[in-house]
Amino acid sequence: MDELPIGRRVAYWRGRRKLSQQVFADRLGKSKSWVDKVERGVRRLDKFSVLYEIADVLTIDVQLLLGKDPERRTDALNCIDEVEVEEIRAALERYVSMSKYFHAPVVPPPLPEFRKAVSHAWLTYQYARYGVLTRALPKLLRDAQAADAYYTGDDGQLAASLLGQVYQIASSALRKLGEHELAWLAADRSMAVSVRADDHLLAGVATYRVGNALLALGRARSALEVNVNIANRLAPGGTNGADPDRLSVYGMLLLQGAMAAARLGDSATVKDLIRGAEEAANALGSDQNYYWTSFGPTNLELHRAAAAVELGEGRQAVETHEQRIDKRRFAALLPERRAHHLLDIARGFAQIGDVHSAGEMLVDGDRLAPSEIRCRPIAHEVMSDILRRTRGAPPAPIAELAEHMGVGI
């Protein structure tokens, strides 16, 4: 797009934002005629102050207007590119709740309609359709921020809850795709908003997302502390009930704490936290998706295997996969969970030197949820390791998947 005149680039991004010339002009404080002349190249844009105003309205980096449109990242295979990252970054860096003190808030979508959009985004994530999700996230973030700024009272609490959920969705997707700093920012925002929503369990799930982001950033000690501290506050018992929602959030906080402890090599703490989560899972009785956690007995075993991989105990992870996980219950889990687990087991097989089985796990995961395997940097690392250690030519399905992933043989 860098060969286009700047006016055409303005028109392009205005179209991406689904803004009419009149609405765009109103937000800039200009006339529709002025916008039309800019887009046709009749009027020059030679003031940086105006360019920055346009970029702010379009919620993009000003460099994109100047034709500095980065190439797509080859390692992400079009799962997410730098343009989409910048759009999400711009949406995350907006402070709509502050600007409402100076300007009338933008009228957001009706809350029932927007609630459905957020639920759809959660399912898009849990079905591992990351490319679809990242393209939808900028608008979803802007709509959620507008709702949070616009509604008051009970509607305001619901709007805050929905914004907190959108931040969590963004954090989870960005972490999967290797954008760890942005994942942390989105997760941190979700914690603050959850307080406004007056929902302790939503704040607990936000803490889980923060822990995930911290772990991805290599801050395992902080991830362990934040998850365990909030888990202790939400633990069933005393004035806290033992309803399914609370059991699910509490259990997932313990499991995330176990993953952080495993990264630290603290096997004793891993066992303690998994034992606590196991009690919650048994009390819940079956795998559920309260607060979008997918928590339950089967997901607990998936985390037991994943923690073993983090501890370097690949054989234990494989044994957990083969002996402790009920195949019928596993098949009932959502695609992201299943493919994520198969990626973990691929790592476990690689740790014990069985690169053929490791490759088969990646192929199986790709059949379930291609984006979970093709879009994640960790999966690329595993595939590279498999190819490097395979004697002779790899089996055709593994070679084909490697080609799709862009991993050289």
Side-chain angles (χ1 to χ4, degrees):
M1 200 170 77
D2 55 358
E3 72 275 11
L4 292 179
I6 191 168
R8 292 280 300 281
R9 288 196 289 271
V10 171
Y12 168 80
W13 284 105
R14 178 179 62 76
R16 284 282 296 269
R17 296 292 180 262
K18 295 181 172 58
L19 299 175
S20 67
Q21 284 190 339
Q22 186 62 64
V23 171
F24 184 47
D26 291 344
R27 294 187 182 181
L28 282 171
K30 303 287 187 182
S31 67
K32 180 181 176 183
S33 173
W34 184 91
V35 171
D36 182 65
K37 288 177 180 178
V38 165
E39 293 184 350
R40 289 190 293 113
V42 176
R43 176 182 284 274
R44 294 179 60 190
L45 284 177
D46 50 10
K47 290 185 178 180
F48 269 95
S49 59
V50 176
L51 281 172
Y52 277 104
E53 289 176 10
I54 291 173
D56 185 56
V57 170
L58 295 174
T59 62
I60 60 173
D61 192 289
V62 72
Q63 295 299 315
L64 298 177
L65 289 180
L66 295 173
K68 306 293 179 62
D69 204 3
E71 295 181 357
R72 285 182 176 269
R73 292 174 13 177
T74 56
D75 66 332
L77 292 177
N78 300 338
C79 299
I80 188 170
D81 64 23
E82 289 297 335
V83 174
E84 290 159 359
V85 169
E86 287 305 316
E87 288 188 66
I88 295 170
R89 186 191 308 278
L92 286 171
E93 291 175 349
R94 298 173 77 224
Y95 291 87
V96 178
S97 60
M98 288 297 295
S99 64
K100 72 179 180 181
Y101 291 110
F102 305 99
H103 304 286
V106 176
V107 178
L111 281 178
E113 175 186 319
F114 188 63
R115 192 174 196 170
K116 291 179 182 177
V118 174
S119 294
H120 183 265
W122 272 120
L123 288 173
T124 303
Y125 170 75
Q126 292 189 324
Y127 276 82
R129 299 178 64 194
Y130 303 138
V132 173
L133 181 58
T134 55
R135 288 188 287 276
L137 269 176
K139 183 178 186 304
L140 197 66
L141 283 162
R142 291 193 299 273
D143 285 347
Q145 291 161 343
D148 182 54
Y150 183 83
Y151 291 105
T152 58
D154 291 343
D155 284 346
Q157 283 195 344
L158 174 57
S161 172
L162 292 173
L163 175 57
Q165 292 180 56
V166 173
Y167 280 140
Q168 290 187 35
I169 295 166
S171 176
S172 296
L174 290 164
R175 177 184 57 83
K176 291 268 191 182
L177 299 171
E179 298 293 339
H180 299 151
E181 291 287 351
L182 279 183
W184 179 84
L185 173 62
D188 186 66
R189 289 281 180 85
S190 75
M191 291 187 74
V193 174
S194 298
V195 173
R196 291 211 308 277
D198 194 26
D199 187 336
H200 292 166
L201 297 183
L202 183 64
V205 184
T207 302
Y208 163 72
R209 309 292 173 190
V210 168
N212 262 333
L214 288 171
L215 195 58
L217 288 167
R219 296 166 61 186
R221 179 66 61 186
S222 296
L224 173 61
E225 291 174 358
V226 72
N227 278 285
V228 172
N229 285 342
I230 301 304
N232 288 337
R233 296 183 186 186
L234 293 178
T239 58
N240 292 336
D243 53 279
D245 287 355
R246 183 177 297 275
L247 287 169
S248 298
V249 175
Y250 169 70
M252 283 306 296
L253 284 165
L254 293 182
L255 290 179
Q256 184 56 35
M259 295 303 299
R263 185 72 60 86
L264 293 167
D266 186 349
S267 58
T269 299
V270 170
K271 290 178 181 177
D272 286 343
L273 293 175
I274 288 181
R275 189 180 303 116
E278 190 169 21
E279 292 176 3
N282 290 338
L284 188 62
S286 61
D287 297 288
Q288 302 292 336
N289 201 18
Y290 295 106
Y291 275 80
W292 306 98
T293 58
S294 294
F295 181 72
T298 309
N299 201 359
L300 178 126
E301 295 301 334
L302 269 54
H303 279 77
R304 191 193 303 274
V309 171
E310 289 296 334
L311 287 167
E313 298 172 355
R315 189 167 300 283
Q316 181 181 332
V318 170
E319 289 175 356
T320 298
H321 171 70
E322 294 176 343
Q323 300 173 17
R324 296 184 64 98
I325 296 175
D326 182 281
K327 291 182 173 58
R328 181 181 57 81
R329 289 184 175 183
F330 179 72
L333 295 179
L334 288 159
E336 179 273 334
R337 282 283 77 218
R338 287 185 283 159
H340 186 144
H341 171 69
L342 293 176
L343 172 55
D344 286 333
I345 299 306
R347 296 172 62 198
F349 273 118
Q351 286 177 357
I352 62 176
D354 187 349
V355 293
H356 177 74
S357 294
E360 288 183 336
M361 290 295 104
L362 291 184
V363 171
D364 289 346
D366 183 69
R367 293 192 184 106
L368 278 172
S371 292
E372 182 68 18
I373 304 302
R374 302 185 189 191
C375 296
R376 296 194 60 191
I378 183 64
H380 287 229
E381 293 175 17
V382 175
M383 179 59 84
S384 295
D385 183 45
I386 290 169
L387 297 179
R388 186 177 63 253
R389 296 163 62 187
T390 297
R391 295 183 179 179
I398 297 173
E400 183 178 351
L401 175 57
E403 183 177 357
H404 285 306
M405 294 172 71
V407 178
I409 298 176

